[in-house]
Amino acid sequence: MLVDSHCHLDLIDPDLTSIETLLEDAAAQDVRHLLCVSVSLDNAPVVRALAARHAQVSASVGVHPNQTDGVEPTVPQLAALAQDPLIVAVGETGLDYHYGAEHADLQQARFRTHIRAAREVGKPLIVHMRSATDDTLRILAEERATDVGGVMHCFTEDWPTARRALELGFHISFSGIVTFKSAEPIRDAARQVPAERLLVETDAPYLAPVPFRGQQNRPAFVRQVADFVADLRGLSPAELDALVSRNFFALFPHAASKPISAPAAQPA
Ligand SMILES: [Zn+2]
Ligand SMILES: [Zn+2]
């Protein structure tokens, strides 16, 4: 069994594939659980509804750092949404100065809001960190995110940076980027992350791994990421699958105890 620790099922073009087909294709690769990640308060109900409808899908709630329109979340509002038993994590949140440096102040305030909400409900964080390493790790420390932990998703930094995130108690999740030709520093990190902190993901529909680069990514392709990381670490695919699945359900215990026949959310 393998788990895709981070995807955006609702953002995959429905004209190309239905959700049912995506889940069947994933199951054919033994991908048995998917964490569908919220990026705005507008799409959070859609993400939650997917988790309500499909036993193998769990959901998060959060507003992506690059989101510049829509409702700005408050701590009580996010905490109330995150209390829901179908919601296993808070995020994705974090900092992205690659695309949003001009909104750095807004991003930082919003990031703190998410960490405070996560601490309030005792659920882990899904952290997006791009071109903002020092500020991201500083704010995680200042807001005592270590109390809830979480995952540095789609990790694209080197091993020394991974070590700093590990020291804060975070897991490290590798996406298809680890398979890209230029990704040697990321591969070095993927070899060195302690076994019990390792996760893999697709971030679908973005970032399809080799040999599917340029295609729309999908949860089934976490198979390529997992097998690639297994090879880097000298593990068999079955050993890597078991490892990352165990890590996933340890980090997101609400995904393991997911109410399978939860009532569907009201249509937004
Ligand atoms: Zn992200
Ligand atoms: Zn994402």
Side-chain angles (χ1 to χ4, degrees):
M1 166 185 184
L2 183 56
V3 175
D4 183 356
S5 78
H6 188 116
C7 64
H8 303 280
L9 274 183
D10 58 308
L11 302 181
I12 296 173
D13 185 349
D15 290 342
L16 291 179
T17 17
S18 69
I19 298 284
E20 284 69 23
T21 305
L22 288 170
L23 295 176
E24 281 166 23
D25 291 352
Q29 298 296 329
D30 206 22
V31 180
R32 304 289 175 181
H33 198 93
L34 300 75
L35 174 46
C36 185
V37 176
S38 159
V39 294
S40 72
L41 292 182
D42 288 336
N43 99 314
V46 179
V47 169
R48 186 198 178 278
L50 285 167
R53 201 173 307 129
H54 302 285
Q56 64 274 59
V57 178
S58 47
S60 74
V61 64
V63 180
H64 192 285
N66 292 134
Q67 199 76 38
T68 49
D69 48 7
V71 182
E72 193 58 30
T74 64
V75 175
Q77 184 184 21
L78 267 183
L81 290 166
Q83 287 284 8
D84 188 319
L86 280 175
I87 302 300
V88 306
V90 174
E92 59 180 289
T93 181
L95 301 175
D96 188 329
Y97 298 165
H98 181 78
Y99 288 116
E102 68 277 22
H103 306 296
D105 289 348
L106 171 69
Q107 288 191 32
Q108 292 188 20
R110 184 187 289 166
F111 187 24
R112 290 182 192 277
T113 296
H114 281 74
I115 300 169
R116 289 170 193 177
R119 283 168 46 85
E120 203 165 304
V121 299
K123 290 186 180 176
L125 287 153
I126 300 168
V127 178
H128 172 111
M129 173 171 79
R130 186 159 186 206
S131 306
T133 307
D134 288 341
D135 282 355
T136 305
L137 297 175
R138 175 178 55 78
I139 290 172
L140 285 173
E142 285 174 3
E143 296 289 337
R144 290 175 291 147
T146 304
D147 291 353
V148 289
V151 57
M152 309 305 290
H153 107 85
C154 191
F155 189 77
T156 52
E157 314 272 340
D158 58 8
W159 165 238
T161 304
R163 203 162 44 196
R164 290 167 66 194
L166 290 161
E167 282 165 10
L168 289 168
F170 276 70
H171 287 55
I172 310 286
S173 180
F174 295 93
S175 70
I177 292 180
V178 75
T179 68
F180 294 0
K181 204 172 174 186
S182 60
E184 192 45 45
I186 308 173
R187 280 190 281 281
D188 179 46
R191 286 184 196 99
Q192 300 202 56
V193 166
E196 69 279 7
R197 302 283 196 90
L198 182 72
L199 293 170
V200 289
E201 66 175 74
T202 57
D203 207 8
Y206 315 110
L207 302 168
V210 173
F212 304 117
R213 277 195 82 170
Q215 289 186 36
Q216 180 166 250
N217 202 357
R218 50 175 67 201
F221 293 169
V222 78
R223 168 53 57 207
Q224 275 65 34
V225 180
D227 289 0
F228 189 91
V229 172
D231 191 52
L232 286 178
R233 295 177 68 101
L235 297 174
S236 71
E239 286 169 328
L240 196 284
D241 285 13
L243 183 69
V244 294
S245 300
R246 199 161 59 232
N247 292 347
F248 177 84
F249 290 111
L251 177 61
F252 302 110
H254 289 85
S257 60
K258 184 170 176 281
I260 288 172
S261 57
Q266 295 299 312

